[in-house]
Amino acid sequence: MLRISSFLFSPLLLFSQTLFTQETIQEYLVESNPYYYASIAKEAVSRERENVFQSVFDTQFNMKYDTKRYPTTEGDYRQVDLTKAIGNGMEFSVAYRDAQGTQEYNNIKTGQEGEVYTSVNIPVLSLINNTSKNELDLQVAQLKTKELSQGSKKKILKLYLLTSKIYFELLLNRSVYLTEKDLLNKAKLNYEFIAKEVRGGKRAKIALIDVQSQIINRKQRLLSAENRYQNLENTFLKYLNISKETFYKRYTLPSIKIEEGKDEELYLGAQEIALKNRPEFQEIEYLLDKVDLQSQYNDISKYPKFDIRLNGVYDLAYKENGYKVAMAFNFPLERSDYKGRDESYKKEKILLQNSKLTIKNDIQVNIRNIIQKASLQKQNIQLADEEISLVEQLESAERRRYQEGLSSLLFVNQREILSLKAQQKLLHYYFELQLLHLQLKYELGILLQKS
């Protein structure tokens, strides 16, 4: 249905090893690419920081040694212990200690062979709720990493979208460059025809000056088009993190063209597809999970803090057991901390839920706009294709009239420029439709999925 003139195709395509497509970009979204790594760096840092919060559950090995010889007192204290905390807040310890003489910081005294000492610290409310501040911090850190992983996906999607747009803009400007080159070649053909006419005495030499001026003008146009193309090429290769020499050793670029897709099928289930694939929604779910965790832990603050510590000893010299029970009770009467946190968590949940609805609505509107624009661009492409057919016929007819002496170079030039504009208009319509196709996949969250 649509025609793309032969000027869009480069002879290099016949000899290239690999044609660089939009999907090839994904091969360069790797950690060695600084633009890609910048997208995932926060997630990588957060994943390592989880170990910091995990470390509070590590088994601790401790040693203490204290000896003194004062004028009126002397004493020795030695202790070796293993301590382990678990997720519900309980802490276990087993130790050997030997305390002789007068102790400086405690009143402990053991038999000559020392004693085995065990202790269990029980935060009652944490035990009942099977959680603790340390466990909360670890779970929040893990959710933070998951949240940042979705943030990484968002950034990678945006990076891929940006690079893909530059890719299609590069193809557009490459094709525009080739149309300008084709226009220059037409001027050179006109020069050869006029030079032949001048040599045959059919035209005055002044006609050559006219076409030479035309050639200079078209060379300038070509240089401007080449400069735009090369600037885009530099930008594109920057995001791929590859040199120009390496790129063209491996690849060649295709012409810009319309990809026949099944976008209409995507429109029908757009909301469901977006909910499943857009990282923003999963990111919000992780944030909601984090707020729920914090809120659940804050609910413990409604009740008095009540800790019990049980200590047991076995003296190795006297072969006797002993024990100690300690209790601690704390209850802030106004409970300002609990009330403030409770209200803030409720409002944060409302904010996140509203954010989810806002993103949904934005996606729906964006997709409707894309549908309308894509429909318009497809109509424009059909009309531009018909226009090219007409202006090329008129250009061909004008050239025959000129060769027969019935027209002037001015009219031929006008027809050639009109043909050029029609061809470039079609290329821009292709480009705009490609961008709409990209934007649709981005809105649905499936841009990185291979078709």
Side-chain angles (χ1 to χ4, degrees), residues 89-107:
M90 293 179 66
E91 185 177 279
F92 301 89
S93 180
V94 59
Y96 166 79
R97 65 187 183 184
D98 180 19
Q100 306 296 327
T102 303
Q103 301 305 312
E104 189 165 354
Y105 302 110
N106 56 59
N107 61 355

Side-chain angles (χ1 to χ4, degrees), residues 40 102 127 143 170 187 233 239 282 308 330 358 381-382 440:
I40 65 170
T102 303
L127 181 62
L143 285 171
L170 178 67
E233 181 182 64
Y239 282 109
Q282 189 58 58
I308 299 175
N330 174 264
T358 300
I381 286 173
Q382 290 178 338
L440 174 64

Side-chain angles (χ1 to χ4, degrees), residues 63-67 76-79:
M63 295 180 66
K64 294 179 184 178
Y65 177 76
D66 184 23
T67 185
D76 296 286
Y77 185 85
R78 294 175 293 167
Q79 179 175 317

Side-chain angles (χ1 to χ4, degrees), residues 228-378:
R228 288 193 299 272
Y229 169 66
Q230 289 179 343
N231 288 341
L232 279 165
E233 181 182 64
N234 293 335
T235 303
F236 180 63
L237 296 179
K238 174 188 75 173
Y239 282 109
L240 293 187
N241 194 37
I242 187 174
S243 69
K244 184 182 293 189
E245 293 75 16
T246 303
F247 181 85
Y248 284 107
K249 186 181 291 185
R250 297 177 185 174
Y251 306 106
T252 189
L253 291 169
S255 63
I256 189 167
K257 59 183 178 180
I258 181 63
E259 291 183 359
E260 296 295 336
K262 297 182 179 179
D263 293 351
E264 291 76 8
E265 294 180 7
L266 297 177
Y267 300 148
L268 297 175
Q271 184 169 327
E272 291 73 18
I273 296 171
L275 279 170
K276 180 181 177 182
N277 294 284
R278 279 288 285 265
E280 289 89 338
F281 294 116
Q282 189 58 58
E283 182 180 36
I284 290 173
E285 290 302 321
Y286 288 135
L287 287 170
L288 285 169
D289 288 345
K290 183 175 74 173
V291 175
D292 282 338
L293 272 176
Q294 292 170 326
S295 179
Q296 289 168 19
Y297 185 77
N298 186 57
D299 284 343
I300 300 175
S301 303
K302 289 190 294 187
Y303 309 103
K305 183 180 179 183
F306 182 43
D307 291 355
I308 299 175
R309 187 173 187 89
L310 303 176
N311 301 328
V313 298
Y314 178 75
D315 192 285
L316 297 175
Y318 294 104
K319 311 295 183 184
E320 292 182 0
N321 295 312
Y323 69 90
K324 176 183 175 181
V325 178
M327 292 183 286
F329 180 90
N330 174 264
F331 186 57
L333 297 178
E334 287 81 6
R335 300 192 301 169
S336 301
D337 183 72
Y338 160 71
K339 292 175 183 177
R341 290 178 185 271
D342 186 57
E343 287 301 315
S344 69
Y345 292 143
K346 287 177 182 177
K347 287 179 171 54
E348 191 171 353
K349 285 180 72 172
I350 293 171
L351 176 62
L352 290 169
Q353 288 162 350
N354 284 335
S355 296
K356 192 172 182 178
L357 289 174
T358 300
I359 295 171
K360 273 186 187 179
N361 292 337
D362 288 345
I363 289 173
Q364 287 177 337
V365 172
N366 290 342
I367 288 174
R368 280 199 295 270
N369 290 339
I370 289 172
I371 293 170
Q372 293 171 356
K373 291 177 182 178
S375 176
L376 175 64
Q377 290 298 352
K378 288 176 181 178

Side-chain angles (χ1 to χ4, degrees), residues 93-133:
S93 180
V94 59
Y96 166 79
R97 65 187 183 184
D98 180 19
Q100 306 296 327
T102 303
Q103 301 305 312
E104 189 165 354
Y105 302 110
N106 56 59
N107 61 355
I108 298 171
K109 188 172 183 179
T110 68
Q112 290 298 318
E113 295 182 16
E115 64 187 11
V116 176
Y117 173 84
T118 60
S119 68
V120 180
N121 190 60
I122 306 171
V124 177
L125 290 176
S126 291
L127 181 62
I128 292 172
N129 290 276
N130 195 32
T131 188
S132 67
K133 182 63 168 62

Side-chain angles (χ1 to χ4, degrees), residues 12 19 52 59 115 196-197 201 254 288 319 322 361 377 409 437 445 449:
L12 289 174
L19 196 64
V52 176
T59 302
E115 64 187 11
K196 185 178 179 181
E197 294 276 284
L288 285 169
K319 311 295 183 184
N361 292 337
Q377 290 298 352
L409 187 62
H437 186 69
Q449 294 179 12

Side-chain angles (χ1 to χ4, degrees), residues 59-62 80-84 92-95:
T59 302
Q60 306 292 325
F61 175 72
N62 304 293
V80 178
D81 69 77
L82 289 174
T83 303
K84 175 71 174 178
F92 301 89
S93 180
V94 59

Side-chain angles (χ1 to χ4, degrees), residues 256 377 427-437:
I256 189 167
Q377 290 298 352
L427 290 172
H428 278 89
Y429 288 150
Y430 284 157
F431 171 67
E432 292 297 332
L433 194 55
Q434 289 283 21
L435 292 194
L436 289 170
H437 186 69

